[in-house]
Amino acid sequence: MSLTSFVVRQDNLPFPGTLPAGGAPPIWRIEFEPLAYRQELFTLARIPFSETVARAVPKRQSEFLAGRLAARLATSGLDVMVGPDRAPCWPTGIEGSITHQGRWALCCVRLQQPASPGGIGIDLEEWLSDDEAEMFWPKIVSERERQLLLSVGDTFARRLTLVFSLKESLFKALYPRVGSYFDFLDVALNRIDDRGKRADFVLLRKLSRDLEPGVRVGGCWYELEGRLLTGVLC
């Protein structure tokens, strides 16, 4: 048994959006083979098999392992522990984000920016079907946002996938700083710019001293081999 049977590919990808020189961290990708997963791979990789991971089903364990391997690439060999809220606990001075989808695990990190009200967040999604969009939209967008999505072209399902993924990236970027959960409906879509592949949102409730109602935040995206990759960098 070896990690080479589990890890099919590793490479890096550009962060979504146009960022200032030196401000765009790469996103590291691990493509893995779930059928090759065995618990012993944690020992081979020298990654702790925590109680939280032990309680998960094998599929989730394989995703966790791939995500931590991607994080090790992103941090040049450092390990990322599990925090008390089950979120990644990054090494001192670093902030980052991990996402999984299918056979892929992605991670990006940057040096911590104490002056910023938020951090970094990425999310990878498959496109929602029409039926899934009709079922889930009330948990993702308000009626006003729904009407906006219906008016800006493309299918409603693809637009809803985009907003869902961007809000997920936004949550990952803000949660470590605000320290409390907030709902997708606490953030409202303001504008979608297809040419720049950017969307802007406005906060509807106070999250911290620097994140008051009315503050605008934004994220970017691009399509990646039939999937959607979004990113927020505060």
Side-chain angles (χ1 to χ4, degrees):
M1 181 183 299
S2 68
L3 282 172
T4 56
S5 63
F6 179 69
V7 177
V8 177
R9 170 177 59 168
Q10 60 184 48
D11 57 8
N12 61 64
L13 309 163
F15 197 92
T18 302
L19 296 167
I27 296 175
W28 287 90
R29 171 172 59 177
I30 291 285
E31 181 178 353
F32 63 99
E33 174 49 71
L35 294 179
Y37 169 73
R38 300 291 185 275
Q39 181 180 327
E40 291 78 11
L41 291 175
F42 276 84
T43 302
L44 288 175
R46 297 181 180 178
I47 293 176
F49 190 74
S50 67
E51 291 185 11
T52 300
V53 177
R55 290 194 296 267
V57 298
K59 178 179 181 295
R60 176 68 184 114
Q61 291 177 0
S62 69
E63 292 172 346
F64 181 92
L65 175 61
R68 287 317 190 263
L69 291 172
R72 184 175 284 173
L73 288 173
T75 60
S76 300
L78 300 179
D79 288 327
V80 179
M81 301 294 106
V82 180
D85 55 0
R86 295 186 297 177
C89 186
W90 299 96
T92 302
I94 292 175
E95 55 191 358
S97 181
I98 300 173
T99 184
H100 319 91
Q101 201 285 313
R103 293 160 54 99
W104 290 358
L106 277 60
C107 177
C108 65
V109 301
R110 71 172 185 180
L111 294 178
Q112 203 163 34
Q113 309 288 318
S116 172
I120 187 171
I122 57 171
D123 185 59
L124 181 69
E125 296 290 340
E126 286 191 325
W127 299 99
L128 292 170
S129 68
D130 291 340
D131 288 343
E132 289 171 330
E134 285 303 315
M135 182 184 305
F136 296 127
W137 75 261
K139 297 181 179 180
I140 302 169
V141 296
S142 66
E143 177 61 29
R144 187 199 68 81
E145 290 175 288
R146 177 175 177 271
Q147 292 302 320
L148 177 58
L149 294 181
L150 290 170
S151 71
V152 291
D154 209 342
T155 67
F156 176 67
R158 285 176 65 89
R159 288 303 196 190
L160 188 67
T161 307
L162 174 61
V163 172
F164 170 81
S165 186
L166 284 165
K167 287 188 176 186
E168 184 71 20
S169 288
L170 181 63
F171 178 88
K172 292 179 180 180
L174 298 185
Y175 171 73
R177 298 295 181 90
V178 303
S180 62
Y181 285 90
F182 55 94
D183 193 87
F184 279 176
L185 299 180
D186 291 327
V187 183
L189 176 66
N190 182 60
R191 181 178 67 99
I192 292 178
D193 172 13
D194 282 313
R195 178 172 294 183
K197 295 191 181 303
R198 176 180 175 84
D200 296 320
F201 297 84
V202 61
L203 299 183
L204 301 182
R205 76 174 179 88
K206 181 175 180 177
L207 301 180
S208 70
R209 183 182 63 182
D210 298 314
L211 297 170
E212 299 273 359
V215 168
R216 294 192 178 187
V217 290
C220 299
W221 78 88
Y222 61 81
E223 293 190 43
L224 178 65
E225 298 178 34
R227 298 170 175 86
L228 174 68
L229 177 62
T230 62
V232 170
L233 189 64
C234 296

